[in-house]
Amino acid sequence: MNGVTILYEDEEIFVINKNSGLSVQGGANVKHSIDVDFAEEIGQKIFLVHRLDKDTAGLMILAKTQVAASKWTKLISSKAVKKEYIAICAGTIEPKKGIICEKIVQHGEEKKAVTHYEVEKEIETECGKLSQIRLLLETGRMHQIRIHLAKNSCPIAGDDQHGNFKLNKQLKKFLGIKKLLLASVKLTVPMQSHTKQSQNQVFEIPLPDYMCF
């Protein structure tokens, strides 16, 4: 389907690269979603084992069966699957490498949230400094990266929900930034969990063109 590229397939899973702007799960007012459109295109039901925000691009795992979905959901929850992201943020964060441990409220309840980060480079622009930050999730709360960075005065460029709205308008006007600059760029997957291979497999993609500065 438009917006989805299959990078890997075996008897249990797909690893895909999804475009920004594509919903993962269907629902009210959702015209196109991976769980509906992609399933129709390949001619079989697929099962979600984790999610990406509609506006986040990048790598995802999809399961082919309910049994596989149960296994891979547990693998992701146990941190056996490592998920790395790149964000382009407005401003910078100190120190340049560290761990953000700040609880996030979900459904009225405070939940532990842990994000490892490292600033890879800083870019001077007419709208001020932008930082390219690599992030590794230890927990997987909804909007975790977006909330953690915003709370540390380093909001993701183009984030109209948690970010700096006034600055986003300037970034759009002067730099043409119209999307959330966040992508899932690397998955380290324990292939020995369902095959006889003894080593992890790494899936990695380059940044989308609109995130390259």
Side-chain angles (χ1 to χ4, degrees):
M1 65 177 285
N2 291 335
V4 170
T5 302
I6 299 173
L7 301 182
Y8 173 83
E9 177 184 359
D10 63 20
E11 69 276 6
E12 287 190 358
I13 61 170
F14 292 101
V15 176
I16 66 166
N17 181 13
K18 96 166 184 75
N19 287 352
S20 170
L22 177 62
S23 295
V24 170
Q25 189 168 26
N29 302 318
V30 177
K31 292 184 178 180
H32 299 286
S33 65
I34 290 174
D35 65 337
V36 176
D37 295 38
F38 181 66
E40 289 180 354
E41 182 172 300
I42 63 174
Q44 71 175 81
K45 187 174 182 179
I46 58 100
F47 299 83
L48 301 175
V49 296
H50 67 121
R51 288 166 174 76
L52 289 180
D53 296 341
K54 176 182 177 181
D55 295 324
T56 302
L59 299 171
M60 281 191 69
I61 297 171
L62 306 174
K64 290 185 172 183
T65 67
Q66 187 66 62
V67 172
S70 177
K71 177 189 292 186
W72 283 90
T73 299
K74 290 176 182 176
L75 283 169
I76 290 170
S77 297
S78 70
K79 307 181 184 68
V81 175
K82 292 184 172 61
K83 297 182 287 184
E84 295 182 40
Y85 295 74
I86 295 290
I88 307 297
C89 300
T92 191
I93 186 170
E94 296 293 346
K96 303 298 184 186
K97 181 178 181 180
I99 304 173
I100 302 172
C101 300
E102 295 179 8
K103 292 182 178 180
I104 290 176
V105 177
Q106 289 189 343
H107 308 296
E109 181 182 351
E110 279 193 341
K111 294 187 176 182
K112 177 182 177 182
V114 181
T115 305
H116 299 251
Y117 73 89
E118 182 174 5
V119 177
E120 293 190 328
K121 66 177 181 179
E122 296 178 341
I123 310 119
E124 292 292 345
T125 76
E126 56 192 297
C127 296
K129 184 177 292 183
L130 298 180
S131 297
Q132 179 174 308
I133 303 176
R134 181 172 292 267
L135 305 117
L136 174 66
L137 289 182
E138 187 172 318
T139 55
R141 308 303 179 196
M142 182 182 294
H143 292 187
Q144 177 176 317
I145 290 173
R146 298 165 68 175
I147 293 170
H148 271 176
L149 289 172
K151 282 186 174 181
N152 284 272
S153 303
C154 193
I156 299 175
D159 188 346
D160 286 330
Q161 187 169 349
H162 303 286
N164 185 319
F165 313 120
K166 182 178 179 180
L167 180 58
N168 282 340
K169 289 182 179 180
Q170 296 176 341
L171 294 172
K172 182 177 181 179
K173 179 179 180 180
F174 294 105
L175 300 179
I177 294 174
K178 301 177 182 178
K179 298 181 179 183
L180 177 72
L181 300 193
L182 176 65
S184 169
V185 296
K186 186 176 179 180
L187 289 176
T188 303
V189 181
M191 303 307 285
Q192 72 270 22
S193 63
H194 70 285
T195 75
K196 295 181 180 180
Q197 298 180 41
S198 59
Q199 61 182 9
N200 290 345
Q201 187 159 346
V202 177
F203 300 95
E204 193 164 9
I205 57 170
L207 284 177
D209 289 345
Y210 61 85
M211 288 183 63
C212 295
F213 288 87

